Amino acid sequence: MIKNINISGYAGILSYVQALNIYRVGSNIAMGSSRMFLKFSIEGKIGVLGLICIVMLSVFAPVITNYPPQKIAGNSLEAPSSAHVLGTDELGMDIWSQICYGARMSLTVGLAVAFISGLGGGAIGILAGYIGGIVDQVLMRIIDVTMALPSFPLLIVISAFLGPSILNVILILVLFSWAKPARIARSQTLAIKENNYIIAAKNYGANPFYILRRHILPEIMPVLFVLIIGISSHAIIAEAGLAFLGLGDPTSKSWGMMLNSATSFRSIYFTPYWQWWLLPPLFMLIFLLLCLAFISRDMEKVLDPKLKIKKGF
Amino acid sequence: MIIMAKDRNSLVFRLVITLFVILVINFFLPRMMPGDPFSTTSADEVGEEIIVMTEEQRLYYMEYYGLDKPVHEQFLIYLKNLMKCDLGKSIHYKMPVSNVIILHIPWTILIVLGSTLISTITGVILGTYSAQNRKRGSDRIMMTGMIAFAEVPSFLLGLILLLIFSVHLRLFPLAGAITPFAHYNGLAEQILDILYHAFLPVMTLSLAQLTGVYLLTRNTLITVTTKDYVRTARAKGLGEKTVWIRHALRNALLPVVTRVGFMIGIMMGGVVLVESVFSYPGIGVTLRSAVISRDYPLIQGILLVIAVSILVCNLLVDKIYSKLDPRVAV
């Protein structure tokens, strides 16, 4: 089976697919995930709780903030006080509101990019692996080229060209992140396709869609899910990075945008303003990324008990 | 990522295709961007343009920079000039793009190579230490710390370092690569000044890359030490030091070599952000300002330089790897 896998590093992922038959997608997702949560380490549990907190912040942003994020609600650069929990920025906008509404931005970009490119790329990879032949060859070349492109410099230039809007940022990020799930889904499909039970099913006259749905998808979905978490944190980093360079959506206050406006404020480092202007978005971004990292690491561990031994934990 | 023997035949072919794709994107994208370098677009109202020069002047400049010719002709001219290493003329700096790049790229090379060196050496040493003390407290603490570090993207790490060391402790400069208007009393003083300014950017990039090398060294070492030849070496009565360095580490370093090659590629991409944090005058900051001022030739040139250096690194890694590991070169 291993010989079908392009890159030997993915063998680990393959082995936990096999360990995962209990978590068949479609059956008992809730049970599976709650059982998984109990198996998480302390960091993993902190990660899940932290992520839930950030989701709450973004969902209930209108309730827990007193001012809309783009309203001039106070004096310029006020220090934190009871009226403005985290103070105000140079235009007198409330920082706490910006943090809460900014969470929406990061989460939207992360989730949208991860799900579109993870599921879309996965679907392309499965189809290519299943159909094989020239389709597969062409796709592999495209994947190779996509993965070899220097993504961040191109991201900068393309987003400058398409103009700053949240939709464009998502589109560009999808364009650069579908290749990895496609590649892994393809090699997985190739490996699974050769199994005797699939050949048997084919001989019994099962149509391709039945085989894809019943046999191939359930095996590949868990791998795609771990990949999706990884892609979402990459997307969040990329969005923050682009916004930090001033290439984000100027009408929305994302955390990267806040970093951009704070660091481009003249002589901010010589004033105390950075303490309440620069630190909150910086802290929130790092916190969100750490939560995602803890979750994905624990998910990998729970999904593949063998990994523990192999990596020497 | 280990390049397998059967893939290697197509490696050069793949790199050539990638290069061509980059050339095409590189050429067409800037031309499709809204606005042109001779007009400033107002952000208040869509479509409203503030023309800073008269129509005649504009046409003159369009002709001067060859922007009035049909697009495919421009592309052929671009390819022909590339063969001559002529990247065109920067519209903003008003001098050849290659000169602008040559002016700024040493700073980028300095911090990228510096941090590659530091992160590789430190990563290998810490990884070896961790593998030797596997499952003890020190290994566990190091692992957890390193993994947490790996998740913080380099520019956020840079901001933290900047806030701690430059703003709070005032130990390092806030921006730049040299002290402005400085008079040096000798070469040593100048080098010291450059190192002083490069310290934080290099530290940022090194810390961001350290975990990869560390984990790879540690995990490969752990796998390698279970191999028969390590047991044989121990059975021969070789000292523990010889076993670790001559037999285990030497084999474990193979994947590290590959990793370092890809690392340089990743860093060339991420360096744009890190340079922005420290206002370090490398090509990253130049690319950022070129995008803002819509300096097409400069954007093209910088993208090309970054892309080519990444592809060359991949090719070099492949060559070095097959030299180091004869099993691959079948």
mmCIF file of all heavy atoms in Angstrom, chain A residues 241-275:
data_model
loop_
_atom_site.group_PDB
_atom_site.id
_atom_site.type_symbol
_atom_site.label_atom_id
_atom_site.label_comp_id
_atom_site.label_asym_id
_atom_site.label_seq_id
_atom_site.Cartn_x
_atom_site.Cartn_y
_atom_site.Cartn_z
ATOM 1 N N GLY A 241 -1.152 38.867 7.673
ATOM 2 C CA GLY A 241 0.065 39.388 7.051
ATOM 3 C C GLY A 241 -0.252 40.394 5.965
ATOM 4 O O GLY A 241 0.353 41.466 5.901
ATOM 5 N N LEU A 242 -1.209 40.049 5.100
ATOM 6 C CA LEU A 242 -1.584 40.970 4.020
ATOM 7 C C LEU A 242 -2.125 42.268 4.597
ATOM 8 O O LEU A 242 -1.768 43.365 4.152
ATOM 9 C CB LEU A 242 -2.651 40.333 3.130
ATOM 10 C CG LEU A 242 -2.160 39.297 2.133
ATOM 11 C CD1 LEU A 242 -3.335 38.748 1.342
ATOM 12 C CD2 LEU A 242 -1.147 39.909 1.187
ATOM 13 N N ALA A 243 -3.006 42.141 5.604
ATOM 14 C CA ALA A 243 -3.582 43.339 6.217
ATOM 15 C C ALA A 243 -2.489 44.166 6.879
ATOM 16 O O ALA A 243 -2.494 45.391 6.807
ATOM 17 C CB ALA A 243 -4.645 42.951 7.232
ATOM 18 N N PHE A 244 -1.524 43.469 7.488
ATOM 19 C CA PHE A 244 -0.424 44.169 8.151
ATOM 20 C C PHE A 244 0.375 44.992 7.137
ATOM 21 O O PHE A 244 0.857 46.083 7.441
ATOM 22 C CB PHE A 244 0.484 43.152 8.846
ATOM 23 C CG PHE A 244 1.721 43.741 9.436
ATOM 24 C CD1 PHE A 244 1.657 44.601 10.519
ATOM 25 C CD2 PHE A 244 2.956 43.453 8.898
ATOM 26 C CE1 PHE A 244 2.796 45.149 11.058
ATOM 27 C CE2 PHE A 244 4.108 44.001 9.429
ATOM 28 C CZ PHE A 244 4.023 44.852 10.511
ATOM 29 N N LEU A 245 0.500 44.451 5.911
ATOM 30 C CA LEU A 245 1.208 45.201 4.871
ATOM 31 C C LEU A 245 0.343 46.312 4.278
ATOM 32 O O LEU A 245 0.802 47.076 3.444
ATOM 33 C CB LEU A 245 1.635 44.257 3.744
ATOM 34 C CG LEU A 245 2.776 43.309 4.049
ATOM 35 C CD1 LEU A 245 3.073 42.459 2.830
ATOM 36 C CD2 LEU A 245 4.018 44.084 4.445
ATOM 37 N N GLY A 246 -0.917 46.376 4.711
ATOM 38 C CA GLY A 246 -1.802 47.404 4.170
ATOM 39 C C GLY A 246 -2.561 46.929 2.954
ATOM 40 O O GLY A 246 -3.103 47.726 2.200
ATOM 41 N N LEU A 247 -2.610 45.601 2.738
ATOM 42 C CA LEU A 247 -3.302 45.077 1.568
ATOM 43 C C LEU A 247 -4.599 44.375 1.936
ATOM 44 O O LEU A 247 -5.151 43.630 1.148
ATOM 45 C CB LEU A 247 -2.389 44.103 0.813
ATOM 46 C CG LEU A 247 -1.210 44.773 0.118
ATOM 47 C CD1 LEU A 247 -0.207 43.751 -0.338
ATOM 48 C CD2 LEU A 247 -1.703 45.582 -1.055
ATOM 49 N N GLY A 248 -5.082 44.609 3.136
ATOM 50 C CA GLY A 248 -6.358 44.019 3.537
ATOM 51 C C GLY A 248 -7.514 44.910 3.130
ATOM 52 O O GLY A 248 -7.324 45.933 2.471
ATOM 53 N N ASP A 249 -8.709 44.525 3.542
ATOM 54 C CA ASP A 249 -9.896 45.302 3.244
ATOM 55 C C ASP A 249 -9.906 46.534 4.157
ATOM 56 O O ASP A 249 -10.021 46.402 5.370
ATOM 57 C CB ASP A 249 -11.130 44.428 3.511
ATOM 58 C CG ASP A 249 -12.396 45.080 3.000
ATOM 59 O OD1 ASP A 249 -12.369 46.305 2.775
ATOM 60 O OD2 ASP A 249 -13.392 44.372 2.828
ATOM 61 N N PRO A 250 -9.784 47.727 3.593
ATOM 62 C CA PRO A 250 -9.651 48.910 4.456
ATOM 63 C C PRO A 250 -10.940 49.252 5.195
ATOM 64 O O PRO A 250 -10.900 49.964 6.199
ATOM 65 C CB PRO A 250 -9.262 50.020 3.482
ATOM 66 C CG PRO A 250 -9.710 49.551 2.159
ATOM 67 C CD PRO A 250 -9.717 48.056 2.179
ATOM 68 N N THR A 251 -12.082 48.751 4.712
ATOM 69 C CA THR A 251 -13.324 49.116 5.374
ATOM 70 C C THR A 251 -13.595 48.239 6.595
ATOM 71 O O THR A 251 -14.421 48.571 7.428
ATOM 72 C CB THR A 251 -14.514 48.970 4.414
ATOM 73 O OG1 THR A 251 -14.528 47.624 3.930
ATOM 74 C CG2 THR A 251 -14.400 49.926 3.266
ATOM 75 N N SER A 252 -12.902 47.098 6.676
ATOM 76 C CA SER A 252 -13.154 46.225 7.820
ATOM 77 C C SER A 252 -11.973 46.314 8.774
ATOM 78 O O SER A 252 -10.836 46.468 8.364
ATOM 79 C CB SER A 252 -13.301 44.790 7.343
ATOM 80 O OG SER A 252 -12.070 44.370 6.824
ATOM 81 N N LYS A 253 -12.289 46.229 10.055
ATOM 82 C CA LYS A 253 -11.212 46.317 11.037
ATOM 83 C C LYS A 253 -10.820 44.904 11.452
ATOM 84 O O LYS A 253 -11.360 44.354 12.400
ATOM 85 C CB LYS A 253 -11.704 47.108 12.251
ATOM 86 C CG LYS A 253 -11.693 48.602 12.017
ATOM 87 C CD LYS A 253 -10.301 49.169 12.181
ATOM 88 C CE LYS A 253 -10.277 50.662 11.900
ATOM 89 N NZ LYS A 253 -8.919 51.188 11.881
ATOM 90 N N SER A 254 -9.895 44.289 10.714
ATOM 91 C CA SER A 254 -9.427 42.974 11.139
ATOM 92 C C SER A 254 -8.228 43.187 12.058
ATOM 93 O O SER A 254 -7.697 44.283 12.179
ATOM 94 C CB SER A 254 -9.047 42.125 9.935
ATOM 95 O OG SER A 254 -7.803 42.518 9.430
ATOM 96 N N TRP A 255 -7.799 42.100 12.712
ATOM 97 C CA TRP A 255 -6.684 42.240 13.640
ATOM 98 C C TRP A 255 -5.408 42.659 12.917
ATOM 99 O O TRP A 255 -4.637 43.460 13.415
ATOM 100 C CB TRP A 255 -6.471 40.917 14.393
ATOM 101 C CG TRP A 255 -7.600 40.596 15.326
ATOM 102 C CD1 TRP A 255 -8.503 41.487 15.824
ATOM 103 C CD2 TRP A 255 -7.948 39.319 15.858
ATOM 104 N NE1 TRP A 255 -9.388 40.842 16.635
ATOM 105 C CE2 TRP A 255 -9.069 39.511 16.687
ATOM 106 C CE3 TRP A 255 -7.413 38.032 15.730
ATOM 107 C CZ2 TRP A 255 -9.672 38.451 17.368
ATOM 108 C CZ3 TRP A 255 -8.013 36.993 16.411
ATOM 109 C CH2 TRP A 255 -9.134 37.205 17.222
ATOM 110 N N GLY A 256 -5.212 42.099 11.710
ATOM 111 C CA GLY A 256 -4.040 42.489 10.923
ATOM 112 C C GLY A 256 -4.078 43.963 10.573
ATOM 113 O O GLY A 256 -3.072 44.665 10.617
ATOM 114 N N MET A 257 -5.296 44.444 10.228
ATOM 115 C CA MET A 257 -5.489 45.859 9.922
ATOM 116 C C MET A 257 -5.127 46.733 11.122
ATOM 117 O O MET A 257 -4.527 47.793 10.984
ATOM 118 C CB MET A 257 -6.978 46.048 9.636
ATOM 119 C CG MET A 257 -7.395 46.627 8.329
ATOM 120 S SD MET A 257 -6.253 46.561 7.039
ATOM 121 C CE MET A 257 -6.878 47.896 6.128
ATOM 122 N N MET A 258 -5.529 46.290 12.322
ATOM 123 C CA MET A 258 -5.223 47.051 13.534
ATOM 124 C C MET A 258 -3.717 47.134 13.730
ATOM 125 O O MET A 258 -3.171 48.198 14.060
ATOM 126 C CB MET A 258 -5.868 46.388 14.753
ATOM 127 C CG MET A 258 -7.382 46.460 14.743
ATOM 128 S SD MET A 258 -8.104 45.548 16.099
ATOM 129 C CE MET A 258 -7.655 46.579 17.484
ATOM 130 N N LEU A 259 -3.021 45.992 13.500
ATOM 131 C CA LEU A 259 -1.562 46.004 13.607
ATOM 132 C C LEU A 259 -0.979 47.001 12.617
ATOM 133 O O LEU A 259 -0.053 47.745 12.932
ATOM 134 C CB LEU A 259 -0.988 44.614 13.317
ATOM 135 C CG LEU A 259 -1.228 43.508 14.329
ATOM 136 C CD1 LEU A 259 -0.601 42.226 13.847
ATOM 137 C CD2 LEU A 259 -0.647 43.901 15.668
ATOM 138 N N ASN A 260 -1.555 46.994 11.401
ATOM 139 C CA ASN A 260 -1.057 47.895 10.367
ATOM 140 C C ASN A 260 -1.222 49.349 10.774
ATOM 141 O O ASN A 260 -0.275 50.135 10.719
ATOM 142 C CB ASN A 260 -1.797 47.624 9.053
ATOM 143 C CG ASN A 260 -1.438 48.616 7.979
ATOM 144 O OD1 ASN A 260 -0.271 48.895 7.779
ATOM 145 N ND2 ASN A 260 -2.431 49.156 7.314
ATOM 146 N N SER A 261 -2.434 49.701 11.231
ATOM 147 C CA SER A 261 -2.633 51.126 11.540
ATOM 148 C C SER A 261 -1.824 51.524 12.774
ATOM 149 O O SER A 261 -1.331 52.651 12.853
ATOM 150 C CB SER A 261 -4.118 51.455 11.701
ATOM 151 O OG SER A 261 -4.755 50.518 12.513
ATOM 152 N N ALA A 262 -1.654 50.590 13.724
ATOM 153 C CA ALA A 262 -0.869 50.937 14.911
ATOM 154 C C ALA A 262 0.604 51.113 14.554
ATOM 155 O O ALA A 262 1.232 52.083 14.962
ATOM 156 C CB ALA A 262 -1.032 49.863 15.978
ATOM 157 N N THR A 263 1.152 50.164 13.761
ATOM 158 C CA THR A 263 2.586 50.273 13.474
ATOM 159 C C THR A 263 2.890 51.390 12.494
ATOM 160 O O THR A 263 4.005 51.902 12.464
ATOM 161 C CB THR A 263 3.158 48.954 12.908
ATOM 162 O OG1 THR A 263 2.302 48.515 11.862
ATOM 163 C CG2 THR A 263 3.272 47.899 13.965
ATOM 164 N N SER A 264 1.903 51.783 11.671
ATOM 165 C CA SER A 264 2.225 52.880 10.753
ATOM 166 C C SER A 264 1.929 54.243 11.373
ATOM 167 O O SER A 264 2.149 55.263 10.742
ATOM 168 C CB SER A 264 1.500 52.697 9.410
ATOM 169 O OG SER A 264 0.148 52.452 9.616
ATOM 170 N N PHE A 265 1.431 54.245 12.601
ATOM 171 C CA PHE A 265 1.262 55.518 13.317
ATOM 172 C C PHE A 265 2.653 56.044 13.672
ATOM 173 O O PHE A 265 3.480 55.318 14.235
ATOM 174 C CB PHE A 265 0.432 55.283 14.588
ATOM 175 C CG PHE A 265 0.132 56.538 15.351
ATOM 176 C CD1 PHE A 265 -0.815 57.438 14.894
ATOM 177 C CD2 PHE A 265 0.796 56.810 16.532
ATOM 178 C CE1 PHE A 265 -1.091 58.587 15.594
ATOM 179 C CE2 PHE A 265 0.524 57.972 17.237
ATOM 180 C CZ PHE A 265 -0.423 58.858 16.766
ATOM 181 N N ARG A 266 2.907 57.274 13.307
ATOM 182 C CA ARG A 266 4.262 57.802 13.489
ATOM 183 C C ARG A 266 4.673 57.816 14.956
ATOM 184 O O ARG A 266 3.907 58.188 15.817
ATOM 185 C CB ARG A 266 4.345 59.214 12.920
ATOM 186 C CG ARG A 266 4.524 59.215 11.431
ATOM 187 C CD ARG A 266 4.510 60.628 10.942
ATOM 188 N NE ARG A 266 5.693 61.311 11.439
ATOM 189 C CZ ARG A 266 6.543 61.934 10.639
ATOM 190 N NH1 ARG A 266 6.333 61.959 9.352
ATOM 191 N NH2 ARG A 266 7.586 62.533 11.141
ATOM 192 N N SER A 267 5.869 57.367 15.178
ATOM 193 C CA SER A 267 6.505 57.368 16.496
ATOM 194 C C SER A 267 5.660 56.712 17.579
ATOM 195 O O SER A 267 5.649 57.146 18.717
ATOM 196 C CB SER A 267 6.904 58.783 16.926
ATOM 197 O OG SER A 267 5.759 59.578 17.077
ATOM 198 N N ILE A 268 4.924 55.658 17.197
ATOM 199 C CA ILE A 268 4.117 54.963 18.199
ATOM 200 C C ILE A 268 5.000 54.348 19.276
ATOM 201 O O ILE A 268 4.623 54.270 20.446
ATOM 202 C CB ILE A 268 3.225 53.888 17.550
ATOM 203 C CG1 ILE A 268 2.383 53.194 18.624
ATOM 204 C CG2 ILE A 268 4.037 52.852 16.784
ATOM 205 C CD1 ILE A 268 1.252 52.386 18.129
ATOM 206 N N TYR A 269 6.231 53.958 18.883
ATOM 207 C CA TYR A 269 7.083 53.271 19.847
ATOM 208 C C TYR A 269 7.661 54.221 20.892
ATOM 209 O O TYR A 269 8.224 53.794 21.880
ATOM 210 C CB TYR A 269 8.218 52.527 19.124
ATOM 211 C CG TYR A 269 7.716 51.468 18.183
ATOM 212 C CD1 TYR A 269 8.062 51.485 16.839
ATOM 213 C CD2 TYR A 269 6.880 50.452 18.641
ATOM 214 C CE1 TYR A 269 7.597 50.501 15.980
ATOM 215 C CE2 TYR A 269 6.402 49.482 17.788
ATOM 216 C CZ TYR A 269 6.769 49.503 16.457
ATOM 217 O OH TYR A 269 6.302 48.543 15.611
ATOM 218 N N PHE A 270 7.536 55.508 20.638
ATOM 219 C CA PHE A 270 8.062 56.458 21.613
ATOM 220 C C PHE A 270 6.974 56.943 22.570
ATOM 221 O O PHE A 270 7.202 57.781 23.417
ATOM 222 C CB PHE A 270 8.707 57.651 20.904
ATOM 223 C CG PHE A 270 9.855 57.246 20.040
ATOM 224 C CD1 PHE A 270 9.738 57.245 18.658
ATOM 225 C CD2 PHE A 270 11.049 56.842 20.611
ATOM 226 C CE1 PHE A 270 10.795 56.851 17.863
ATOM 227 C CE2 PHE A 270 12.108 56.442 19.820
ATOM 228 C CZ PHE A 270 11.979 56.445 18.449
ATOM 229 N N THR A 271 5.760 56.420 22.360
ATOM 230 C CA THR A 271 4.632 56.820 23.197
ATOM 231 C C THR A 271 4.099 55.584 23.911
ATOM 232 O O THR A 271 4.430 54.468 23.532
ATOM 233 C CB THR A 271 3.504 57.393 22.324
ATOM 234 O OG1 THR A 271 3.124 56.376 21.398
ATOM 235 C CG2 THR A 271 3.940 58.623 21.576
ATOM 236 N N PRO A 272 3.267 55.758 24.928
ATOM 237 C CA PRO A 272 2.715 54.553 25.578
ATOM 238 C C PRO A 272 1.554 53.941 24.807
ATOM 239 O O PRO A 272 1.006 52.945 25.245
ATOM 240 C CB PRO A 272 2.254 55.087 26.939
ATOM 241 C CG PRO A 272 1.989 56.520 26.711
ATOM 242 C CD PRO A 272 2.924 56.978 25.644
ATOM 243 N N TYR A 273 1.167 54.539 23.658
ATOM 244 C CA TYR A 273 -0.035 54.078 22.957
ATOM 245 C C TYR A 273 0.028 52.615 22.572
ATOM 246 O O TYR A 273 -0.996 51.939 22.500
ATOM 247 C CB TYR A 273 -0.283 54.911 21.686
ATOM 248 C CG TYR A 273 -0.360 56.390 21.921
ATOM 249 C CD1 TYR A 273 0.122 57.286 20.983
ATOM 250 C CD2 TYR A 273 -0.930 56.899 23.090
ATOM 251 C CE1 TYR A 273 0.058 58.656 21.203
ATOM 252 C CE2 TYR A 273 -0.990 58.266 23.310
ATOM 253 C CZ TYR A 273 -0.489 59.136 22.365
ATOM 254 O OH TYR A 273 -0.548 60.469 22.578
ATOM 255 N N TRP A 274 1.237 52.117 22.234
ATOM 256 C CA TRP A 274 1.320 50.734 21.735
ATOM 257 C C TRP A 274 0.804 49.734 22.750
ATOM 258 O O TRP A 274 0.347 48.666 22.403
ATOM 259 C CB TRP A 274 2.751 50.392 21.319
ATOM 260 C CG TRP A 274 3.777 50.496 22.411
ATOM 261 C CD1 TRP A 274 4.517 51.595 22.717
ATOM 262 C CD2 TRP A 274 4.184 49.476 23.316
ATOM 263 N NE1 TRP A 274 5.343 51.333 23.762
ATOM 264 C CE2 TRP A 274 5.166 50.034 24.151
ATOM 265 C CE3 TRP A 274 3.821 48.145 23.511
ATOM 266 C CZ2 TRP A 274 5.783 49.316 25.170
ATOM 267 C CZ3 TRP A 274 4.441 47.425 24.517
ATOM 268 C CH2 TRP A 274 5.411 48.014 25.336
ATOM 269 N N GLN A 275 0.837 50.130 24.046
ATOM 270 C CA GLN A 275 0.420 49.175 25.072
ATOM 271 C C GLN A 275 -1.038 48.771 24.926
ATOM 272 O O GLN A 275 -1.392 47.635 25.195
ATOM 273 C CB GLN A 275 0.676 49.758 26.456
ATOM 274 C CG GLN A 275 2.158 49.866 26.753
ATOM 275 C CD GLN A 275 2.444 50.792 27.910
ATOM 276 O OE1 GLN A 275 1.542 51.335 28.522
ATOM 277 N NE2 GLN A 275 3.721 50.976 28.199
#
